[in-house]
Amino acid sequence: MIDRNLLRLKLRDALPSSITGPTFPPFPICRVDPGAIETYLEYAVLTKYRCAGRVKSGPWDLQAKPLAESPKYRLLRGYYEGEIDADELTRERLRECGYPEREAEFYADYGYGAYLDELFDSIRERGVVTSRGDSGTERTADRYDQVAVNVGRDGALVFNSCGFHRLVTARLVGLEAIPVRINAVHERWWRARRGSSTPFDDHPELAHVGRLSIRWRDVLGVARD
């Protein structure tokens, strides 16, 4: 089955900017101190793939809210610091904190406390890494599912609600740096760096690692041997 999101990004990446408008490769990866990401956008403002690699004008960055004041963030921090017990992490509590119904039901059935304990231990020991399947091979979905960050008009790093657990856990356990995918940047910030060949390296909080290329086998849904 063709992955339409990846196909659209693959084709757009091959077109000249005269057709696409100002864009950059859809999956640039940078390293950043998770504590430098202080605000977030609701997922619907800039979506996971439709806005990938986009230079976006408008007031979207002004809609960002403090990450530490997010109900989800406060819930995870409360559990991590021992202020909330595992048996309090019910479906109803998760729904009150803004989790979608299906997600809240899944975590409650799984045992959200156990899930978080495993996540805290994993990220504390290994950092934020690409997940792998039971066979040790990389799963296609995980390859492109990175913690997503936008760059606002003045350079502020704005979380894009993709990779929430990984970002918050990295902050809570005190990691110094994690890999992130730059999702979209504000046109004002981008145009100020129009002459730079490495605009993300010009950002004081970002260390550009490279780009995640889109593989045709992932676009076409070809199984890996």
Side-chain angles (χ1 to χ4, degrees), residues 162-178:
C162 178
F164 172 81
H165 285 96
R166 284 164 284 172
L167 172 60
V168 173
T169 298
R171 287 168 60 101
L172 292 175
V173 304
L175 290 190
E176 294 183 356
I178 62 171

Side-chain angles (χ1 to χ4, degrees), residues 11-24 54:
L11 295 177
R12 193 200 70 196
D13 195 27
L15 294 173
S17 60
S18 59
I19 295 176
T20 65
T23 60
F24 54 91
R54 291 289 187 183

Side-chain angles (χ1 to χ4, degrees), residues 13 51 53 62-63 75 82 86 92 102 106 117 138 146 152 155 159 164 174 197 216 222:
D13 195 27
C51 295
L62 302 181
Q63 301 177 47
L75 183 71
E92 292 74 17
R102 292 180 61 185
F106 169 80
D117 290 341
E138 186 179 60
Q146 309 294 326
F159 175 56
F164 172 81
S197 59
W216 275 113
V222 177

Side-chain angles (χ1 to χ4, degrees), residues 18-204:
S18 59
I19 295 176
T20 65
T23 60
F24 54 91
F27 294 109
I29 305 297
C30 296
R31 290 187 65 80
V32 63
D33 177 352
I37 306 170
E38 298 182 346
T39 59
Y40 76 101
L41 286 174
E42 298 293 348
Y43 178 75
V45 177
L46 295 178
T47 55
K48 179 178 179 180
Y49 290 133
R50 186 165 297 278
C51 295
R54 291 289 187 183
V55 178
K56 299 283 288 183
S57 60
W60 58 265
D61 56 328
L62 302 181
Q63 301 177 47
K65 305 173 184 178
L67 181 62
E69 295 179 12
S70 160
K72 290 184 179 181
Y73 185 97
R74 293 201 302 266
L75 183 71
L76 265 64
R77 182 179 61 193
Y79 180 74
Y80 182 76
E81 295 178 351
E83 299 174 358
I84 298 174
D85 294 330
D87 58 8
E88 298 179 77
L89 300 175
T90 62
R91 184 184 67 82
E92 292 74 17
R93 181 72 175 271
L94 298 184
R95 289 290 289 133
E96 290 174 0
C97 291
Y99 291 74
E101 176 62 38
R102 292 180 61 185
E103 188 176 350
E105 185 175 0
F106 169 80
Y107 284 132
D109 290 345
Y110 182 92
Y112 199 32
Y115 171 84
L116 293 177
D117 290 341
E118 294 171 5
L119 184 65
F120 293 150
D121 289 343
S122 173
I123 289 183
R124 187 184 293 110
E125 294 172 5
R126 295 187 290 275
V128 175
V129 297
T130 301
S131 298
R132 294 181 179 275
D134 294 338
S135 64
T137 58
E138 186 179 60
R139 296 187 305 231
T140 296
D142 295 318
R143 173 177 171 80
Y144 305 101
D145 185 29
Q146 309 294 326
V147 176
V149 173
N150 308 299
V151 181
R153 66 187 64 203
D154 298 320
L157 301 179
V158 184
F159 175 56
N160 201 65
S161 299
C162 178
F164 172 81
H165 285 96
R166 284 164 284 172
L167 172 60
V168 173
T169 298
R171 287 168 60 101
L172 292 175
V173 304
L175 290 190
E176 294 183 356
I178 62 171
V180 299
R181 170 176 69 84
I182 306 301
N183 184 54
V185 303
H186 198 281
E187 183 182 26
R188 185 179 301 178
W189 183 86
W190 186 259
R191 289 192 180 280
R193 287 147 187 83
R194 187 181 302 175
S196 174
S197 59
T198 55
F200 296 120
D201 273 344
D202 290 343
H203 195 290

